[in-house]
């Protein structure tokens, strides 16, 4: 089965540059999917379209999951994927009447909810109208009509009468925007709730969800350092949440689990922070520690990086590469994040040396000379490594700066700053002597200036002659004029 699958769809995927994972992940698919609440079809489809070994099982599960739902689009996507990869299963399992039957049910339910909403509007009861829009939005969300779901939730705004109503509306909008992949809308709605944090007690209880959603949106936009800050500052109340209990408000497993927070935060931190920041902001962070305990390998990788044991850190990450490439949110960023982490490791390793042989670098990072040559070449081209490459002797050379030139430039800059400061001081002394100082009435007493009616007041005793003497003041002023 796997051989025939490999000979078909996945060969085309490799040629098209799509990710294809040959290694088995460390997780069991059923147990992995069970951690998430709600619609599992996108996760299963991603696994089925990426892993040749897991494709038959994952696509079959995606198909049956779609049958239990109301989203015709996802059912078609699952069936099309099965026809492409495992056509024998698709032919045996397809239900040609399901789409028509489900479409009729969806239309009937939509008509019923719209009629109820129309009745609520005629009665002019704001709470009923708000709940009507909420029910309609949830129905549209479940059936895959995300655009109209956003419109329905947005129309709740005019009928929200309590802070909890505003919080519910924004949480609904965040959930739909995540499914849409509209990350700007996610950030906007999170910021709206945070701006009302002092007024709405419900926002404080949802602080962990808001941090996780904002971190996910920043990760999707490749802002790894900002995403790391959000994830590592996520309130630890989500970590012990019971994912199998729908009444637990702290759980956010319709989007991500506490384990995902640890993985996303740890990888983003490794890609964007130096060793001092990793030690202080990640390993010593009491909030994030509760999440790191759920994923010990991430904590070990960060500890090894901080301890300059780069080979051990990278080997841990490489062993989990297949798992991360099967993650819906992480897959588009795995290669870039791994490149950033390796680049930082090579930079840190190279700092004490003026030159390093490719063989030494290859041994330190557990690879061969050809791969290390490609890596350092890419880093130099992208400006990640300030060095020169000697391909004849297979050596990486540090750029030698001109220390004399740098000292001269610093001295000239310091002289210019000193000259400007002296000119400003002399200008102030001239203003004091001319009586042009502007001061608040009543605070100077008999000091320099004019009163509010233009009458002259006695001048201040502080002047250039009192600081340096009359001769020094005149010589400085004449020097400036010259």
């Amino acid at each position: 089965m796997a051989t025939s699958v490999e000979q078909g769809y996945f060969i085309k995927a490799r040629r098209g540059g799509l990710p294809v994972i040959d290694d088995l992940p460390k997780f069991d698919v059923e147990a992995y999917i069970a951690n998430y609440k709600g619609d599992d079809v996108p996760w299963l489809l991603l696994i089925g379209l990426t892993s040749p070994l897991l494709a038959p099982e994952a696509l079959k599960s995606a198909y049956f999951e779609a049958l239990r739902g109301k989203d015709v689009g996802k059912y078609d996507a699952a069936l099309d994927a099965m026809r492409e990869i495992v056509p024998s299963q698709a032919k045996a399992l397809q239900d040609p009447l399901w789409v028509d039957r489900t479409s009729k049910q969806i239309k009937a339910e939509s008509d019923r909810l719209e009629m109820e909403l129309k009745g609520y509007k005629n009665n002019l009861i704001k709470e009923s109208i708000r709940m009507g829009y909420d029910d309609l939005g949830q129905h549209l969300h479940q059936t895959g009509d995300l655009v109209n779901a956003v419109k329905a939730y947005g129309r709740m705004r005019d009928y929200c009468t309590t802070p909890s109503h505003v919080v519910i509306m924004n949480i609904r909008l965040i959930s739909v925007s995540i499914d849409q992949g509209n990350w700007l809308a996610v950030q906007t709605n999170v910021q709206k709730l945070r701006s009302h944090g002092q007024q709405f007690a419900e926002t404080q209880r949802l602080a962990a969800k808001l941090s996780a959603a904002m971190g996910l949106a920043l990760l999707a936009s490749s802002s790894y350092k900002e995403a790391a800050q959000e994830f590592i500052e996520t309130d630890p109340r989500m970590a012990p949440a019971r994912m199998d209990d729908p009444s637990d408000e702290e759980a956010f497993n319709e989007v991500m689990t506490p384990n995902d927070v640890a993985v996303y935060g740890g990888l983003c931190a490794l890609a964007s922070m130096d060793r001092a920041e990793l030690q202080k902001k990640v390993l010593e962070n009491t909030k994030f520690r509760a999440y790191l305990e759920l994923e010990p390998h991430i904590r070990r990788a960060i500890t090894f990086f901080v301890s300059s044991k780069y080979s051990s850190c990278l080997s841990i990450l490489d062993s989990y590469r297949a798992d991360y490439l099967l993650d819906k949110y992480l897959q588009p960023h795995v290669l870039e994040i791994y490149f950033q982490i390796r680049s930082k490791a090579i930079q840190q390793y190279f700092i004490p040396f003026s030159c390093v042989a490719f063989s030494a670098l290859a041994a330190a990072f557990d690879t061969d000379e050809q791969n290390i040559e490609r890596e350092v070449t890419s880093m130099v081209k992208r400006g990640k490594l300030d060095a020169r490459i000697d391909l004849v002797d297979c050596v990486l050379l540090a750029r030698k700066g001109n220390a004399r030139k740098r000292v001269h430039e610093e001295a000239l800059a310091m002289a210019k700053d000193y000259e400007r400061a002296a000119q400003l001081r002399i200008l102030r002394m001239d203003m004091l002597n001319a009586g042009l100082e502007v001061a608040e009435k009543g605070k100077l007493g008999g000091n320099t200036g004019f009163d509010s009616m233009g009458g002259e007041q006695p001048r201040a005793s502080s002047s250039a002659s009192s600081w340096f003497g009359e001769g020094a003041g005149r010589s400085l002023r004449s020097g400036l004029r010259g």
Side-chain angles (χ1 to χ4, degrees), residues 110 113-114 117 131-141 149 152:
S110 299
L113 291 172
E114 288 176 357
L117 179 59
M131 293 180 64
Y133 276 123
D134 191 14
D135 293 340
L136 181 60
Q138 291 187 58
H139 168 70
L140 295 171
H141 190 182

Side-chain angles (χ1 to χ4, degrees), residues 204-213 234-238 250 291:
Q204 299 176 8
R205 294 201 304 268
L206 297 172
K209 289 185 179 182
L210 297 181
S211 294
T234 301
D235 196 292
R237 68 177 66 191
M238 189 195 293
E250 308 299 343
Y291 295 101

Side-chain angles (χ1 to χ4, degrees), residues 47-61:
I47 295 172
L49 295 172
T50 308
S51 174
L53 299 175
L54 299 176
E57 176 189 355
L59 292 178
K60 184 177 179 180
S61 299

Side-chain angles (χ1 to χ4, degrees), residues 26 29-30 48 56 112 122 127 144 154 172 180 194 199 228 230 268 272 298 307 348 365 373 376 397 408 413 458 464:
K26 296 182 180 295
V29 174
E30 292 185 3
R112 183 186 68 81
N122 291 333
E127 176 61 13
R172 297 270 199 265
Q180 275 186 313
R194 285 180 171 175
Q199 304 174 21
E230 291 289 343
C268 289
S272 59
I298 291 292
S307 304
Q348 295 291 326
F365 291 94
E373 179 184 333
V376 296
L397 302 170
H408 286 174

Side-chain angles (χ1 to χ4, degrees), residues 60 83 90 127 144 196 200 202 303 362 435 463 470:
K60 184 177 179 180
R83 286 171 178 163
E127 176 61 13
H196 297 295
F200 300 166
E202 292 85 352
T303 303
S463 65
E470 187 67 30

